[in-house]
Amino acid sequence: MLSQEEESIQTFVKLGLTYLQAKIYLTLLKLGNSGASAKKIAQASEVARQDIYRIMPDLEKWGLV
């Protein structure tokens, strides 16, 4: 049985995001409008910081963040 977070990630993957994009996006939703740094996002999402820097421009381009 999948956790709520994994189910949400799978939903975003079905909509066209990659697994990491979905995981980062959901983490940003949880962190809220706090101006989180890449380091904080990486820690909260358990995604490598270099992946945060690589993925964020795409999320910004699509208007998700």
Side-chain angles (χ1 to χ4, degrees):
M1 184 169 195
L2 295 176
S3 70
Q4 176 82 24
E5 181 179 359
E6 284 297 321
E7 286 182 19
S8 296
I9 290 170
Q10 292 305 317
T11 299
F12 283 112
V13 168
K14 288 177 185 175
L15 293 172
L17 271 64
T18 67
Y19 181 84
L20 289 180
Q21 288 169 338
K23 193 166 185 176
I24 292 167
Y25 179 66
L26 288 171
T27 300
L28 288 167
L29 291 177
K30 288 179 191 174
L31 292 174
N33 206 9
S34 64
S37 66
K39 180 179 180 180
K40 187 172 181 179
I41 297 166
Q43 290 171 337
S45 66
E46 298 179 345
V47 173
R49 189 167 24 170
Q50 61 266 27
D51 289 331
I52 304 296
Y53 286 117
R54 180 177 54 82
I55 291 169
M56 284 298 291
D58 289 333
L59 297 178
E60 290 173 354
K61 179 174 67 176
W62 300 326
L64 296 175
V65 297

